[in-house]
Amino acid sequence: MTNENSRNNPKKELTKEEKLSMRANRKVTAGNDELYNDVMKSIETGIVKQPRQSSEEEWSMPVTFDEYDTIPFPIEIFPATIQNMVKAVAIDTQTPIDLAAMVCIGVLSTALSKKFAIEPKTGWKEPLNTYTATLLPSGLRKSAVYNAMTKVLYKYAQELYEEMEPKIEKRKLKRQALEKRIDKLQTDYAKTNNPELLQEIEAISDELQKHPELSAPKLTVDNETSENLVIELKKNNEKISIMSPEGDLFIKFNDPAEKGKHDVYLKGYSGDHLQVGRVSRPGEILTEPLLTICIVAQPTVVQNFPSYVHERGIPARFLFSMPNDNQGFREPFPPSTAVEISRAYQELIRKLLMFTPNETICLRLSEDSINILKDLIMDIEKEFRDNGIFEGHLRFWGSKLVGQILRVAGLLHVAHSADSSNLEEITSEVSLDICKKAFLLEDYFITHAQKVFGVMKRNDTFNDAIYLRDKILNEKKLVVDKQTIHQKTKKRIQGKDRFSRAYDLLEYHSYIKQVKGGKYGNKGMILVNPALLKNDSN
């Protein structure tokens, strides 16, 4: 400090009490007096001095949080009509392309489940239903994307209902007439005990059985209890889809009242025999139920699943996507989805919906496809070894990945065929080209599953700590005033306790160390691990 500066800024002498207070508040980091002196000098002068090499060595290397780099959805796997729609909707809504692509997988599964299956070898058959979940924060137009991609399903379902409504009403009246006739005959028989009346009752009962109750056909449901879901499956040829732009299903998994009622989700994934007992009425027996799930929700809905949900393998059955949102970089007035693009997409999906084979068509792989399938299986199998991707909490999920990718391969085979020809002429052999497209999804789904399963382990403190860490590092300083960080984060993190927990977690991970400084030694300051700023200083 120059003499002139000294005259303009006379140094105030601290009282004995202030010196004692400052000394009591000091946190000498890891016994490193040199680092502490450098920090205190920078606090008082505003000049940050680079730490000596010895001080950097005193810090532990930061223990990074589980954060994962994801890759974008490879939309080139789809036929041209679907590619055009996915791109157009993503641009129109200014959303990640992954969102529309994942919803489309759910739409294809809804249209083709039970109509086709894929059998890579004798004894190994995969149905074409899928469980997908796309996770994005609120306010990112998830519903707009969902509605654009699924509108064709709801319109087709409404048409089926309108077509069936007169038949349903006619059947209802016929059954009511037969039931009233039986009631009257039973009353007469009770009075007369006439055996001819009993024979007539039995004959009418047989007639009633030949005319079972009709119900309106459904393609989708959104928020049914597990019990009602079984009933809907029974009514709709043991096939239905849970489609929703909300995460109510995952919230339901957290409900203690639903504990032990997950068989429909487990067996509906693979088409296993399901028998559900009822206390007050007859139970239901489903021989080959197939359930499709397509959920678009906020990431918070997968946090803190109860252990029994993981133990039963429910999350392991999902293909997850958690793309990075583009909020802050969106165009203000992007082009709308062209009418001809939307029309072509809807016509393609309707073609798939209207195709009704007499029995399930079994798709098989070409010889070349089988060869690259073997490579895929070995590639995934290696990741179950020590230090592999699937060694820990992804083990159950990884064990189903090959089957999941094959299901998508089946969907792609039919979609490509329908986009270029008549479905009546579809070949049952899945080509090498289709398999190569589907197998592009291996890395995509692995990276996104890593990210989502990491989120499942998080809590609010974890999220707050990551947010604070990024704000602190953006300062690009070794010493940061806590008050500066508070001002920049107070809209997101509210309350002293939340800040304290987040700072403590960052300190535990060796990102920062909390100290007291300032003129009187009681101002909250943050020391940043020099290793984190090394690249910025070079």
Side-chain angles (χ1 to χ4, degrees):
M1 183 180 294
T2 64
N3 291 335
E4 183 179 354
N5 286 339
S6 298
R7 288 192 298 272
N8 293 336
N9 298 286
K11 187 175 181 180
K12 182 179 177 182
E13 184 68 27
L14 298 178
T15 65
K16 181 179 180 180
E17 290 76 13
E18 288 170 338
K19 289 179 180 179
L20 289 173
S21 175
M22 184 174 181
R23 188 176 297 116
N25 284 325
R26 286 177 177 172
K27 275 179 125 179
V28 180
T29 306
N32 190 333
D33 296 309
E34 291 181 339
L35 174 61
Y36 178 77
N37 291 333
D38 288 344
V39 170
M40 292 307 298
K41 186 174 181 180
S42 67
I43 291 171
E44 294 176 356
T45 65
I47 301 173
V48 177
K49 180 180 178 181
Q50 291 297 326
R52 298 175 178 82
Q53 183 66 26
S54 60
S55 66
E56 187 171 330
E57 290 171 352
E58 294 290 344
W59 285 78
S60 300
M61 285 302 295
V63 179
T64 58
F65 294 105
D66 290 335
E67 296 178 272
Y68 306 95
D69 292 327
T70 55
I71 59 178
F73 193 100
I75 63 165
E76 62 268 26
I77 69 174
F78 291 125
T81 298
I82 293 178
Q83 281 192 50
N84 293 338
M85 182 64 174
V86 169
K87 290 177 184 177
V89 170
I91 292 172
D92 185 0
T93 58
Q94 291 292 284
T95 52
I97 206 163
D98 314 55
L99 180 53
M102 289 292 288
V103 175
C104 188
I105 290 178
V107 171
L108 292 175
S109 176
T110 300
L112 300 176
S113 176
K114 269 194 181 288
K115 299 176 184 178
F116 295 88
I118 189 166
E119 189 174 14
K121 70 171 187 176
T122 303
W124 177 12
K125 182 184 291 186
E126 294 285 347
L128 299 194
N129 60 313
T130 58
Y131 288 10
T132 61
T134 310
L135 307 177
L136 278 170
S138 61
L140 296 181
R141 305 203 68 193
K142 296 189 295 293
S143 293
V145 175
Y146 174 86
N147 291 336
M149 301 303 296
T150 61
K151 178 170 58 177
V152 59
L153 294 181
Y154 296 107
K155 184 178 180 180
Y156 185 75
Q158 180 64 27
E159 292 171 2
L160 290 179
Y161 173 78
E162 291 173 357
E163 181 183 345
M164 281 292 295
E165 190 175 20
K167 299 176 183 179
I168 293 172
E169 185 63 24
K170 186 176 180 180
R171 177 65 58 86
K172 180 181 177 181
L173 293 174
K174 183 175 184 65
R175 286 181 58 84
Q176 286 177 346
L178 291 172
E179 287 167 349
K180 287 180 179 179
R181 178 64 178 156
I182 289 174
D183 288 343
K184 185 178 185 308
L185 289 171
Q186 286 177 332
T187 300
D188 293 343
Y189 177 73
K191 294 177 180 178
T192 64
N193 205 27
N194 185 342
E196 293 181 357
L197 293 176
L198 184 58
Q199 291 178 357
E200 189 174 354
I201 290 172
E202 292 173 349
I204 296 175
S205 295
D206 290 341
E207 181 71 12
L208 189 63
Q209 292 295 320
K210 294 177 183 178
H211 296 82
E213 184 177 356
L214 295 178
S215 58
K218 285 185 179 181
L219 295 176
T220 66
V221 294
D222 56 9
N223 190 23
E224 298 287 351
T225 64
S226 56
E227 184 174 332
N228 287 341
L229 190 56
V230 171
I231 294 172
E232 292 296 342
L233 280 165
K234 185 73 173 181
K235 289 180 179 178
N236 290 278
N237 193 32
E238 299 191 356
K239 166 192 169 179
I240 205 159
S241 297
I242 300 175
M243 306 280 291
S244 177
E246 301 295 340
D248 293 334
L249 176 64
F250 289 151
I251 295 172
K252 194 181 278 98
F253 289 155
N254 285 327
D255 185 358
E258 287 288 306
K259 184 177 181 180
K261 299 179 181 179
H262 298 139
D263 278 0
V264 64
Y265 306 108
L266 300 174
K267 296 183 177 182
Y269 172 81
S270 50
D272 293 336
H273 182 274
L274 175 64
Q275 184 169 347
V276 180
R278 298 283 186 263
V279 175
S280 58
R281 63 178 188 274
E284 303 285 358
I285 297 177
L286 304 178
T287 57
E288 194 178 347
L290 287 180
L291 184 63
T292 289
I293 301 178
C294 179
I295 300 295
V296 177
Q298 298 181 35
T300 52
V301 299
V302 301
Q303 289 183 359
N304 303 317
F305 274 153
S307 59
Y308 61 80
V309 172
H310 286 283
E311 289 166 0
R312 298 213 68 186
I314 293 176
R317 286 165 165 78
F318 277 83
L319 292 172
F320 289 105
S321 176
M322 191 173 174
N324 298 319
D325 71 75
N326 54 354
Q327 198 167 24
F329 300 92
R330 296 175 292 185
E331 295 182 16
F333 209 76
S336 300
T337 303
V339 174
E340 58 270 20
I341 289 177
S342 179
R343 183 187 297 118
Y345 168 76
Q346 293 186 47
E347 288 175 355
L348 174 60
I349 300 303
R350 284 182 64 87
K351 184 191 291 189
L352 300 177
L353 288 165
M354 294 174 68
F355 180 66
T356 52
N358 294 326
E359 59 183 13
T360 300
I361 297 173
C362 195
L363 306 175
R364 291 179 170 81
L365 303 184
S366 67
E367 186 174 343
D368 290 339
S369 297
I370 291 175
N371 289 333
I372 67 167
L373 173 60
K374 292 177 181 177
D375 293 337
L376 175 71
I377 293 172
M378 288 307 302
D379 188 41
I380 290 175
E381 184 67 21
K382 292 175 183 176
E383 296 299 339
F384 290 96
R385 299 173 185 173
D386 290 346
N387 299 317
I389 294 172
F390 304 135
E391 181 187 13
H393 56 278
L394 284 178
R395 179 172 293 274
F396 290 160
W397 182 88
S399 67
K400 298 184 180 298
L401 182 56
V402 173
Q404 296 266 35
I405 292 175
L406 282 172
R407 293 183 184 205
V408 177
L411 296 175
L412 293 177
H413 171 75
V414 180
H416 276 272
S417 298
D419 199 35
S420 60
S421 63
N422 192 322
L423 271 177
E424 302 295 338
E425 302 170 359
I426 188 172
T427 174
S428 62
E429 184 176 272
V430 181
S431 69
L432 176 63
D433 180 60
I434 292 295
C435 283
K436 284 182 176 179
K437 292 179 186 296
F439 293 1
L440 290 175
L441 293 169
E442 176 192 2
D443 289 338
Y444 178 84
F445 284 127
I446 288 175
T447 59
H448 284 260
Q450 287 176 311
K451 186 174 182 179
V452 171
F453 276 83
V455 168
M456 289 179 188
K457 300 183 294 182
R458 292 183 182 180
N459 53 30
D460 288 340
T461 300
F462 184 100
N463 294 328
D464 289 347
I466 289 179
Y467 186 68
L468 279 181
R469 178 203 62 187
D470 293 342
K471 293 297 184 183
I472 292 169
L473 294 181
N474 283 343
E475 295 295 309
K476 301 185 185 303
K477 298 177 181 178
L478 285 171
V479 182
V480 182
D481 186 339
K482 275 189 176 181
Q483 187 61 32
T484 300
I485 300 302
H486 288 194
Q487 290 300 319
K488 294 183 177 182
T489 59
K490 63 183 180 181
K491 290 184 179 180
R492 162 79 177 263
I493 304 174
Q494 299 179 356
K496 181 180 178 181
D497 288 343
R498 280 185 64 178
F499 274 107
S500 295
R501 289 193 295 268
Y503 280 130
D504 289 344
L505 184 58
L506 287 175
E507 188 162 9
Y508 177 79
H509 280 255
S510 294
Y511 280 97
I512 66 168
K513 290 172 182 175
Q514 301 174 76
V515 300
K516 295 290 186 178
K519 198 167 189 179
Y520 300 107
N522 56 9
K523 187 176 184 180
M525 308 295 294
I526 301 164
L527 309 187
V528 180
N529 190 326
L532 298 171
L533 299 181
K534 183 183 291 186
N535 292 334
D536 291 329
S537 63
N538 290 339

